[in-house]
Amino acid sequence: MPIKPKKIEDMLKGLGFLKAAEIKEGLSIQRETKERLGRILLVKGYINDENILDLVLVQLGIGPEETKDIEIAPEVISKIPPYFAKAHRIIPIRFYKNTVTIATDNPFNFLAFENFSEFLGFRIEGVLSSAKDVGDLLEKYYPSEEGQQPVSRIISNIPGDDQDAAADLIKQRDIPKLKPDDDAPVVRLVSLLIGEAVKKRSSDIHIEPLENKLRIRYRIDGILYEVPGPPKKLQSSVISRVKIMAKMDIAEKRLPQDGRIRISAAGRDLDLRVSTLPAIYGESVVLRILDKSSFIMGLKDLGFSDTDEKKFEKLLKMPNGILLVTGPTGSGKTTTLYASLNYINKPDRKLITIEDPVEYQMTGINQVQVRPQINLTFAAGLRSILRQSPDVIMIGEIRDPETAQIAIQASLTGHLVFSTLHTNDAPGAITRLIDMGTKPYLVASAIQAIIAQRLVRSICPSCKEKYEPSREELKIIKLSSGYSRSIDFYKGKGCEDCAGTGYSGRIGIFELLFMTDKIRKLVFEKVSSGVIKENARESGMVTLREDGIKKVLKGETTISEVMRVTQQDLA
């Protein structure tokens, strides 16, 4: 007979030997201690264990069943996720005509059965078993190492040969619980997605509704990897759960939204920046993971060569001028700026930033969040910032001519200004500012240096091994095959630590352009960025690809990785 939800108070009153006050007291204690109600009533002496189970079984219509040494088919066990079975002490013993028969030693847990029935789409029937038998069966069919693995049923939605690979992946998961009492399946599933992303060092989680499935992808070391996703029918529930966590309007599905989630996972405090975008098959969701414990890096951690690091430290000690960091989205510009601010963040200097958004809150720095909806733009915020008498100003990005003009004025009036631009190389930032309408003589006077940067993946230290590069690779780094034998080249073989990619983590490669007198003259003459680059190289500038090759020769990355993120240098 199926278990029907029923209020415990009504059931206990129907037993006939418990007073209303005793029931009320037991329920009150249960809410505080989370202890099982039956045990509370036994400890209080309100019931005894000789006849209570028989009376409960009669009231519920549940019969006892002998389950000792029972053999359960794997397809039946797979109907119940391990974490749910252990959390509620239930185990499936039969599956017939869309009905799962569950053995349990706790017949009071009606709500869990009802919710679980809705989630799986199965009818639930229950039988009572002894605590020892249930415990033995749980240990036998749900070993302890799998006890925290949610939603194994995800695998059934993956076609063909991919099922085995997906099953292996799920078995390897060690997912932190975001809250101890998060047992609802969709809540646990979202926690799974976030927890595994944290474990795999992902920077982003992409939840993308497609026509026939809900695709989940993690961006790890700058590369997107698809992972097993939940069934398409859970799309709405998963997206709604994320929007609730980010304090978004779950009823608004026609317009893009932005939100933020703050959680603790794997022992670390994390900020998740959430963005939704309406698409033809549902809302696409991206969660950017910001790890507070590792976001702020020292200058030595960025990847500068010893020579460039010393030059960069001198730049940070300058009293005025503009220091620009350029590169595409995801190239680590913000990390470099934060590391720079952290280096000069001293009690004798006032630092103010204006950002969109404020990705990390830094102690001792006044940080301003851009809010275009109330006309607090970069330009408007900068005007007010200048009246605050700062020593150092950081502008998240120079997006328009007005912001560029104010930034230059600030640098010329005695402020050190940090900012970013989206250009492919350092010389390109000069022509970009001039194209925005800034006078060449102002660009030449205000800018002190420009840093272009990219992020390349580091070779996994666990599977790092020597190899012989091909002729094409040697040609790229301008070495002959005979000369290469005196140099050791490395690559990652692929192991469990790096998920078979051969890479683990990323380091920066940099192109540092100083505004020498000769280059200032070229800027004033409005020459092309190519001419500026040639003269900068004559003055000692190392290009992005050249800096990448240096890191290849140090055994930090591979030739193919440097080729992937850099363009061919001019001769």
Side-chain angles (χ1 to χ4, degrees):
M1 182 180 296
I3 298 175
K4 297 180 180 179
K6 188 174 184 178
K7 286 187 176 181
I8 293 179
E9 298 97 311
D10 296 339
M11 186 204 71
L12 292 176
K13 289 176 183 176
L15 295 176
F17 53 80
L18 280 169
K19 298 177 182 179
E22 294 171 341
I23 297 173
K24 184 177 180 180
E25 181 184 358
L27 291 171
S28 177
I29 296 173
Q30 185 193 41
R31 282 191 291 270
E32 294 178 3
T33 65
K34 308 301 182 183
E35 183 63 75
R36 292 168 61 176
L37 183 60
R39 180 174 294 276
I40 293 171
L41 297 175
L42 282 168
V43 172
K44 298 294 290 186
Y46 298 151
I47 61 173
N48 60 66
D49 56 3
E50 293 181 359
N51 54 11
I52 182 62
L53 283 180
D54 288 339
L55 290 172
V56 171
L57 293 178
V58 171
Q59 190 74 15
L60 296 177
I62 299 177
E65 182 167 326
E66 179 64 44
T67 55
K68 185 178 181 180
D69 299 327
I70 188 174
E71 292 296 327
I72 307 172
E75 58 268 22
V76 176
I77 288 295
S78 67
K79 302 300 180 185
I80 307 295
Y83 85 94
F84 195 92
K86 289 205 168 187
H88 299 288
R89 291 189 63 81
I90 58 177
I91 189 158
I93 58 175
R94 287 188 295 275
F95 179 67
Y96 181 68
K97 290 185 177 180
N98 205 42
T99 298
V100 176
T101 301
I102 291 175
T104 180
D105 62 345
N106 178 19
F108 291 97
N109 202 350
F110 314 121
L111 184 60
F113 292 158
E114 183 185 30
N115 287 344
F116 195 53
S117 177
E118 282 186 18
F119 174 68
L120 286 183
F122 301 143
R123 292 177 66 247
I124 302 295
E125 290 187 355
V127 298
L128 189 72
S129 180
S130 69
K132 183 179 185 306
D133 286 352
V134 171
D136 290 344
L137 289 173
L138 287 172
E139 188 63 32
K140 178 179 179 181
Y141 291 101
Y142 298 111
S144 56
E145 63 268 19
E146 296 181 0
Q148 296 295 326
Q149 307 308 323
V151 199
S152 60
R153 193 166 172 267
I154 292 174
I155 303 171
S156 64
N157 199 50
I158 302 171
D161 297 334
D162 292 338
Q163 291 190 15
D164 291 339
D168 291 339
L169 175 62
I170 290 176
K171 287 179 182 177
Q172 293 169 12
R173 291 173 173 168
D174 181 17
I175 306 307
K177 296 180 72 173
L178 302 186
K179 292 183 180 179
D181 55 350
D182 278 350
D183 287 325
V186 172
V187 173
R188 291 283 300 173
L189 175 56
V190 174
S191 298
L192 163 71
L193 297 176
I194 297 173
E196 181 161 344
V198 173
K199 178 185 175 184
K200 292 180 176 293
R201 302 175 293 100
S202 304
S203 60
D204 304 88
I205 305 171
H206 294 254
I207 304 174
E208 303 166 317
L210 304 181
E211 183 176 6
N212 299 314
K213 72 173 184 177
L214 182 63
R215 181 167 68 177
I216 307 295
R217 294 193 289 176
Y218 296 153
R219 188 178 294 279
I220 304 171
D221 295 335
I223 306 296
L224 281 171
Y225 298 91
E226 186 169 353
V227 298
K232 176 73 173 177
K233 67 180 181 180
L234 293 181
Q235 172 180 310
S236 178
S237 299
V238 169
I239 294 174
S240 293
R241 171 59 182 169
V242 173
K243 292 173 73 174
I244 288 171
M245 294 174 70
K247 297 180 174 60
M248 295 178 176
D249 183 357
I250 63 172
E252 180 55 76
K253 300 181 180 180
R254 302 166 299 170
L255 297 173
Q257 295 187 64
D258 293 305
R260 196 167 191 167
I261 303 171
R262 295 181 178 180
I263 61 172
S264 294
R268 306 203 300 271
D269 291 332
L270 304 174
D271 275 352
L272 276 63
R273 203 170 70 206
V274 185
S275 171
T276 65
L277 180 70
I280 58 175
Y281 297 116
E283 291 177 282
S284 175
V285 181
V286 176
L287 295 87
R288 169 68 60 88
I289 302 173
L290 303 175
D291 187 350
K292 292 183 177 181
S293 64
S294 61
F295 194 80
I296 297 299
M297 305 175 70
L299 293 181
K300 294 185 180 298
D301 301 320
L302 295 176
F304 282 115
S305 65
D306 292 339
T307 302
D308 283 349
E309 183 182 338
K310 292 177 181 178
K311 292 179 180 179
F312 190 61
E313 288 178 355
K314 289 182 179 179
L315 285 172
L316 298 181
K317 295 174 182 178
M318 296 181 67
N320 63 282
I322 295 179
L323 174 61
L324 285 177
V325 183
T326 74
T329 300
S331 59
K333 299 187 300 296
T334 303
T335 301
T336 298
L337 287 178
Y338 276 129
S340 302
L341 291 175
N342 193 48
Y343 179 79
I344 62 175
N345 186 12
K346 302 290 189 290
D348 60 344
R349 305 185 85 178
K350 180 164 185 175
L351 282 66
I352 303 180
T353 75
I354 180 164
E355 308 170 61
D356 184 22
V358 175
E359 294 192 358
Y360 184 84
Q361 297 176 11
M362 301 180 67
T363 303
I365 298 177
N366 299 277
Q367 294 173 271
V368 180
Q369 169 74 53
V370 168
R371 300 183 187 278
Q373 63 272 23
I374 59 172
N375 201 33
L376 179 53
T377 61
F378 279 113
L382 271 172
R383 293 191 191 96
S384 297
I385 286 173
L386 290 175
R387 292 193 288 270
Q388 292 282 312
S389 186
D391 296 298
V392 181
I393 302 171
M394 192 271 272
I395 307 168
E397 181 183 349
I398 295 179
R399 297 178 177 174
D400 53 68
E402 188 177 9
T403 303
Q405 188 71 24
I406 298 173
I408 287 176
Q409 289 176 359
S411 69
L412 294 176
T413 54
H415 303 87
L416 181 59
V417 179
F418 298 127
S419 192
T420 68
L421 270 179
H422 288 271
T423 61
N424 290 326
D425 58 8
I430 295 172
T431 54
R432 171 74 173 138
L433 286 173
I434 294 174
D435 289 342
M436 292 173 80
T438 307
K439 300 295 183 182
Y441 72 89
L442 291 176
V443 174
S445 302
I447 293 179
Q448 298 291 349
I450 304 170
I451 301 172
Q453 69 176 73
R454 299 290 190 277
L455 293 176
V456 295
R457 292 180 291 175
S458 302
I459 300 173
C460 174
S462 300
C463 60
K464 184 176 182 179
E465 64 177 9
K466 295 180 183 180
Y467 85 107
E468 192 71 28
S470 65
R471 288 185 178 181
E472 290 75 15
E473 290 177 315
L474 293 173
K475 185 177 179 181
I476 290 170
I477 63 175
K478 299 178 181 178
L479 289 178
S480 66
S481 57
Y483 181 66
S484 70
R485 293 191 181 95
S486 62
I487 301 174
D488 291 331
F489 291 87
Y490 295 89
K491 68 177 182 178
K493 183 179 181 180
C495 64
E496 183 178 350
D497 291 346
C498 62
T501 64
Y503 298 99
S504 179
R506 290 188 290 178
I507 57 173
I509 57 174
F510 300 92
E511 181 176 281
L512 186 52
L513 184 153
F514 286 90
M515 294 293 287
T516 63
D517 291 339
K518 185 175 182 180
I519 292 178
R520 292 185 198 277
K521 183 178 179 181
L522 292 173
V523 172
F524 186 77
E525 295 173 354
K526 296 181 66 173
V527 302
S528 68
S529 60
V531 175
I532 294 174
K533 187 169 188 175
E534 289 179 9
N535 281 271
R537 294 184 69 179
E538 291 174 1
S539 300
M541 184 187 80
V542 176
T543 66
L544 286 167
R545 178 162 288 193
E546 289 168 345
D547 190 44
I549 292 172
K550 286 183 178 181
K551 290 178 170 60
V552 169
L553 300 178
K554 289 181 180 179
E556 296 176 348
T557 188
T558 63
I559 299 173
S560 60
E561 183 65 9
V562 173
M563 291 170 57
R564 181 180 68 85
V565 302
T566 63
Q567 60 184 3
Q568 181 64 49
D569 297 323
L570 294 172

